[in-house]
């Protein structure tokens, strides 16, 4: 097996291990204040894909710029999408 294939296989196995850990943590009774910790496996998976498969460390500057711009616009998109459910009020109907 060539070195690059072995590296891709290791990245894939790491992604599977992180996915299994994330699935296992989803059944754990975690208090509401500690739930943002569950984002860590997702961030680790993104880093593995970006650095392993996309090879952003050795990519040209334009590729890194587009990757950063994609993350920037995704953050804006998700932020704007969350304004509706986070600002919605529930009014009791008496009748």
């Amino acid at each position: 097996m060539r070195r690059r294939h072995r590296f891709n296989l290791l990245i894939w196995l790491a992604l599977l291990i992180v996915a299994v850990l994330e699935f296992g943590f989803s059944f754990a009774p975690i208090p509401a204040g500690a739930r943002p910790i569950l984002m860590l496996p997702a961030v680790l998976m993104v880093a593995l894909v970006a650095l392993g498969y996309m090879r952003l460390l050795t990519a040209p500057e334009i590729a890194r710029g587009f990757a950063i711009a994609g993350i920037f616009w995704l953050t804006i998109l998700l932020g704007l999408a969350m304004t509706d459910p986070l600002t919605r009020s529930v009014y009791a109907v008496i009748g």
Side-chain angles (χ1 to χ4, degrees):
M1 191 183 318
R2 289 184 26 210
R3 184 173 175 223
R4 190 71 201 164
H5 294 314
R6 191 175 304 125
F7 180 72
N8 285 339
L9 182 64
L10 288 175
I11 294 292
W12 180 70
L13 287 174
L15 286 170
L16 283 179
I17 290 170
V18 173
V20 167
L21 287 173
E22 189 172 17
F23 181 73
F25 284 140
S26 68
F27 291 106
I30 298 174
R35 287 190 186 145
I37 293 174
L38 294 176
M39 290 296 293
L40 290 178
V43 170
L44 180 61
M45 291 173 93
V46 167
L48 282 171
V49 169
L51 300 176
Y53 289 133
M54 295 172 64
R55 301 182 193 121
L56 284 180
L57 287 178
T58 59
E61 289 80 16
I62 188 84
R64 284 187 242 157
F66 274 104
I68 291 170
I71 293 170
F72 172 74
W73 287 111
L74 180 65
T75 304
I76 287 179
L77 179 73
L78 291 175
L80 290 173
M82 289 304 296
T83 57
D84 179 48
L86 291 177
T87 59
R88 196 172 283 231
S89 298
V90 178
Y91 298 104
V93 177
I94 299 171

